[in-house]
Amino acid sequence: MARSIIDDGQLKKLKRVAEDLKSEKDELRQLALDTKEAFTVCMAELRLMLESKTADFFRVLVERYKAEMEKRRQLHNQLVEINGNIRVFFRIRPMLEAVGEQAIKMDEMDDWAIDVLQPGGKKTSHGADRVLTTTLTQKQIFEEVSPVITSCIDGYNVCIFAYGATGCGKTYTMEGPIEDPGINQRAIIQLFQVANEKQGDTKYSIQLSMVEIYNEKIRDLLNSSLSTVNIRMGEDGRLTLPGSTSITVTSAEHVSQVLESGRANKAIACTQANASSSRSHVVVRVTVNGVNSITGESTTGHLNLVDLAGSERVSQTNATGQVLKEAQAINKSLSELGNVVLALRQNQKHIPFRNCQLTRMLEDSLNGDSKTLVIVHLSPESRHVTESTSSIAFAEKISKDLRFVQCASLAPTVCTNRSMGCQRQLAMLKGGDIPTRMQLNFACAEFLQWLAPTWFENKKAKKASTIRREPREIRKCESLRRFSSIESIDSAYDAALVKEDWPVKSQLDNEPIEESREAIEDSTSPVEERPTSSFGYPEIGVESKKLKLRFSRSV
Ligand SMILES: Nc1ncnc2c1ncn2[C@@H]1O[C@H](COP(=O)(O)OP(=O)(O)OP(=O)(O)O)[C@@H](O)[C@H]1O
Ligand SMILES: [Mg+2]
C-alpha cells in the first residue's frame, strides 16, 4: 500500500490556509472595488468642484476683459473727443502754376492758422483745428487724420469730407494718384491692420460700398449699370442703402481693385477750372463689423469717405445747360451740408438732415457721438483767392460752435465772477480723469488770464480786461493747448514775441491793471498751488510757469 506523502493533519492545515487565503482575496477584491467606487465618486466631486471654480474664474476673467475693452474704447473715444467730434482742417494745395503769387500760406507763427493775401493787398488771418501745408506728403496727411479712423473699429461712425472749390485738390486728397494713394485706400488698409492685430479675440469683417450723388440721385458705382440706390432708416437708427453693392474686402490689393472699379464709373467732366472735375459727391462707405468670441458682443462702425464735388461760382464758370444744373445741385447740397454741421456743432434741437440726399445718406454717421472731419481745400494761387475765400467762409461758418462761445464766455467768468469761476470749474475737473475739449479750452482761457498780469506789467500796459470774443484770440487760446503735449513752448514763445501779437495783447481795455491782477489772484488759487495736475493736465503747469518766468526775465 502506497504511503501518503501528506498526512491528514497537514492536509487539514493546508485546507485552512487555502480558505484563509481565499477569504483574504475576497476581502482584498471588495476593498479594491470599494476604493474604485470611492475614487470615482471623489473624481466626480472633484470635477464638479473644478468645473464650478473654473467657470467662476472664467466669468471673472470675461468680466474684467469686458471692462478693460470698454475702458480702452472710452479712452480712445475721449482722446478723439479732446480733439473735437467735429473738426475742420485746411489743406493748401501746392502751386500748380509757376507764375503768379502765392496768396494763401500757413501762418508762420501758428500752425493753426493761414494768412490770405486778398486782391486789394489786405492780409487776413483764419484759424482751423489744423492746417495741412503744401509740403506734407499724402502719407503725412493720412497720419493727421488716422486717429479718428480707428474709432470705426470700436463701433463709432466716422465721416471725412473733402470740401473746396473745383480744382483745389479734393480728389487728390481722397483718391490720390495710383502710385501715391490718398486717404481712402490708406484708411481701409489701416482698418485691416488694426482688425488683424485684434483678430485674436474679435473677428472683424470689412465691407465696402461706393456710391455717388449726382443731381440728387444716388447711383451705385460698384455696378457698371449705375443702378439707383435708396436710403432706408431702420428702426434701430441704422441706415441702409438698398440697391448698393456691398463687397467684403479681403486684402489690401482687393481694396484697391474695388476702389479702382468704382472710380471708373464716376461722373467727371472737363471744366474750365479742372480737366477731370468731379461732377458728383462720391461716398466710399466702409462698414466694420466685429464679433468678440469671448464676450459674444458685436460692434458695427461706418467710415464714410466723402469726396465732395467742387463748390463753384456758377456766374464765373459760364456754365449752361447740364453743367449749370449740376453746379446748382452741387451748391445746394454743399450749403445743406454746412447747415447740418453747424446745427450739430451748436447742439440744435432740429438738424436739417432731410433737405438733401447727401445729408440724408449720412444722417446716422453725423449724428450722436460720431466723428466728423471736414478738410477744406484751398488753391494757393492768387487768381483763385475769391473761391478760396468762400471756402474759408464755409469753414468759419461750421466752426462757429459752442466750444468757442463757451471758451469766450468762461474766460471772463474766471476773471470777474470769483465764486462761480475758476474754483468751481477746477473742482469739477478734479472728478474726471481726462479733461474734455471744453475743459481744456477752459484751462487755456484760465491760463491766459494767469499769464496776462505779467505780460501787462512788463509791457507797461495800463489796463487789462477779459478775453474778447474775437475768433483770433480764442484761436490763440486754443493754440496754447499745444503746450500740454508738444515741447514747443520756446519756439511758440519766440514766435509770439517776434509777431508782437501775443494773445493777451488785444485784451486791453479801460480796467486798471491792479484791479485785474487782484481779480485774477482772487479768482484762482495761488500760482504754486495751481491745480494743474488735478485736471489731468500736468504739463501745462510746468510749461506755463516756464513761460511766465521767461516773460518776466526777457520782456
Ligand atoms: N497736393 C497736391 N499735389 C500735387 N498735385 C495736386 C495736389 N492737389 C491737387 N493736385 C492736382 O490738381 C489738379 C486738380 O485736383 P483735383 O482733381 O483733386 O481737384 P478737385 O478739388 O477734386 O476738383 P473738382 O472739384 O473739380 O473735382 C489735379 O491735376 C491734381 O493732380
Ligand atoms: Mg474732384
Side-chain angles (χ1 to χ4, degrees), residues 526-542:
V527 170
E528 281 67 32
E529 290 167 28
R530 285 186 75 75
T532 44
S533 58
S534 62
F535 46 85
Y537 197 35
E539 296 90 335
I540 200 166
V542 178

Side-chain angles (χ1 to χ4, degrees), residues 33-45:
L33 284 174
D34 291 350
T35 311
K36 194 179 166 199
E37 196 184 315
F39 183 75
T40 312
V41 171
C42 240
M43 281 306 284
E45 276 174 8

